Amino acid sequence: MLTDQTEEAPSSALVDENVQVESFRQTRNSRRNELVEDYVELIADLITDGGEARQVDIVRRLGVAQPTVAKMLKRLASDGYIKQRPYRGIFLTAQGRKLARQSRERHQIVESFLCALGISAETARIDAEGMEHYASEETLLVFRDYLANRK
Amino acid sequence: MLTDQTEEAPSSALVDENVQVESFRQTRNSRRNELVEDYVELIADLITDGGEARQVDIVRRLGVAQPTVAKMLKRLASDGYIKQRPYRGIFLTAQGRKLARQSRERHQIVESFLCALGISAETARIDAEGMEHYASEETLLVFRDYLANRK
DNA sequence: GTTTTAACATAGCTATTGCTATATTATAGA
DNA sequence: TCTATAATATAGCAATAGCTATGTTAAAAC
Ligand SMILES: [Mn+2]
Ligand SMILES: [Mn+2]
Ligand SMILES: [Mn+2]
Ligand SMILES: [Mn+2]
């Protein structure tokens, strides 16, 4: 009579230890890729929109200091996501384009889903910017279905 | 005739610069609180469930090395979230209890919402563990409404 | 063709979050 | 009570992500 546990998350009891460890592990892993994803996604958007992505454009869009971006771009280059040509802009490698495409798609799905739920465009933008990096394939599929099946 | 922009996120055009900067700023800010929130939430859960939260319990639940937890607990103590009594466990301050309650509630809403959408319990757990930290009040309200208004 | 300026590079600092190795100590068992 | 063990503390290292200050240089302006 009081048991209403269909499709419900547990309300306060501790979950199984191994399950929880695995959740935290995966979350730490996703967190480690957040910045890289946002950078390549932004670079791709800048190129799509204006034909080029210079360091200074990224600085303006991210709202961080220029040396912060410079350092990150070095890392992205050494990790094989981009090629830099000073004063000529940043170029994505094949690997970079692939990650950018995936990131952009995930971002778009999450943001559109939040909008479809009735959340304001500004809030959807902000929340999606963080949440996108933690949405699994299974979740993205459900979001996509939701978007497709509303009238 | 081709304009179908109701409740839709833009598909690839760059958003306004100031809007984007603000999104990234807020996201960076949320990210800075992720770990603190997970720690106090976990400590509260351990206390609720077993009466005590020792360092070694947190180590086991998070899946990180013991000195990592020891260092973080020092920070939580110096930030006023907890009191430590070695071999006696971790105790939440009023400030810690407040943050724990808020974090636990957000976590629960996000996880229940994902479950309600039909996402599997395991995936919902994992995704919620990351997404919870980026869900705004507005979004939580919509999630809550969705949970309340489904038959 | 100079000169100014804006873009980029580099040095050096801090804080955060992880790790391994090792020391210390409180509790539990014999 | 003594001792073994498990819990905690500490030292020291690395990677990441931010900052300010300052140097260098390519492009623009004159
Ligand atoms: Mn993004
Ligand atoms: Mn993002
Ligand atoms: Mn949580
Ligand atoms: Mn979490």
Side-chain angles (χ1 to χ4, degrees):
Chain A
M1 352 18 199
L2 283 174
T3 60
D4 176 26
Q5 53 191 10
T6 331
E7 300 276 11
E8 271 294 340
S11 62
S12 84
L14 271 169
V15 77
D16 175 73
E17 188 179 294
N18 296 73
V19 169
Q20 191 164 25
V21 166
E22 196 44 37
S23 298
F24 281 126
R25 265 192 221 290
Q26 288 217 201
T27 301
R28 283 195 299 273
N29 210 60
S30 298
R31 189 166 52 219
R32 281 193 13 244
N33 292 109
E34 267 195 63
L35 254 197
V36 171
E37 290 169 4
D38 281 337
Y39 266 80
V40 297
E41 188 191 344
L42 176 56
I43 290 165
D45 285 345
L46 285 167
I47 291 172
T48 298
D49 192 71
E52 62 172 12
R54 290 170 311 154
Q55 194 183 108
V56 71
D57 301 322
I58 301 170
V59 166
R60 255 193 293 272
R61 291 270 163 186
L62 289 181
V64 295
Q66 173 262 322
T68 300
V69 172
K71 199 192 292 182
M72 188 62 185
L73 290 179
K74 265 200 193 173
R75 189 181 139 204
L76 292 179
S78 94
D79 288 357
Y81 293 110
I82 64 168
K83 297 273 180 210
Q84 320 189 58
R85 284 201 288 165
Y87 298 88
R88 299 292 303 274
I90 311 295
F91 301 90
L92 291 170
T93 62
Q95 184 191 338
R97 278 191 298 275
K98 186 178 171 195
L99 183 58
R101 186 172 36 74
Q102 292 169 342
S103 301
R104 181 144 65 175
E105 197 189 343
R106 277 194 323 183
H107 191 135
Q108 226 258 296
I109 293 169
V110 173
E111 189 171 336
S112 297
F113 174 73
L114 293 179
C115 284
L117 283 175
I119 292 161
S120 71
E122 309 82 58
T123 301
R125 251 221 62 78
I126 294 168
D127 290 13
E129 194 58 80
M131 291 179 26
E132 57 170 341
H133 309 282
Y134 301 94
S136 63
E137 278 307 314
E138 183 185 339
T139 293
L140 289 175
L141 206 73
V142 170
F143 285 5
R144 232 190 303 250
D145 277 2
Y146 184 94
L147 285 166
N149 294 339
R150 83 213 145 110
K151 72 198 135 313
Chain B
M1 352 31 188
L2 283 174
T3 60
D4 177 26
Q5 53 192 10
T6 332
E7 299 277 9
E8 271 295 339
S11 62
S12 85
L14 271 168
V15 77
D16 174 73
E17 188 179 295
N18 296 73
V19 169
Q20 192 165 24
V21 166
E22 196 46 36
S23 298
F24 281 127
R25 265 192 221 289
Q26 287 216 202
T27 302
R28 284 196 298 273
N29 210 62
S30 298
R31 188 166 53 221
R32 282 193 12 244
N33 293 109
E34 268 194 62
L35 255 197
V36 171
E37 289 168 5
D38 281 337
Y39 267 80
V40 297
E41 190 191 343
L42 176 57
I43 291 166
D45 285 345
L46 286 167
I47 291 172
T48 298
D49 192 71
E52 62 173 9
R54 290 170 310 154
Q55 195 183 107
V56 70
D57 301 322
I58 301 170
V59 166
R60 254 193 293 272
R61 291 270 162 187
L62 289 181
V64 295
Q66 172 262 323
T68 299
V69 173
K71 201 192 291 183
M72 187 62 186
L73 290 178
K74 265 199 192 173
R75 188 181 139 204
L76 292 179
S78 94
D79 288 356
Y81 293 109
I82 62 168
K83 296 274 181 213
Q84 318 190 59
R85 285 201 287 166
Y87 298 88
R88 300 292 302 275
I90 312 293
F91 301 90
L92 292 170
T93 62
Q95 183 191 336
R97 278 191 297 276
K98 186 178 171 194
L99 182 60
R101 186 171 36 75
Q102 292 169 342
S103 301
R104 180 144 65 175
E105 197 188 344
R106 276 193 325 181
H107 191 135
Q108 226 258 296
I109 292 170
V110 173
E111 190 172 335
S112 298
F113 174 73
L114 293 179
C115 283
L117 282 175
I119 293 161
S120 71
E122 310 82 58
T123 301
R125 250 221 63 78
I126 294 168
D127 291 12
E129 194 58 80
M131 291 179 25
E132 58 170 342
H133 309 282
Y134 302 93
S136 62
E137 278 308 314
E138 183 185 339
T139 293
L140 290 175
L141 207 73
V142 169
F143 285 5
R144 233 188 303 250
D145 277 3
Y146 183 93
L147 286 166
N149 295 339
R150 83 214 144 110
K151 73 199 133 312

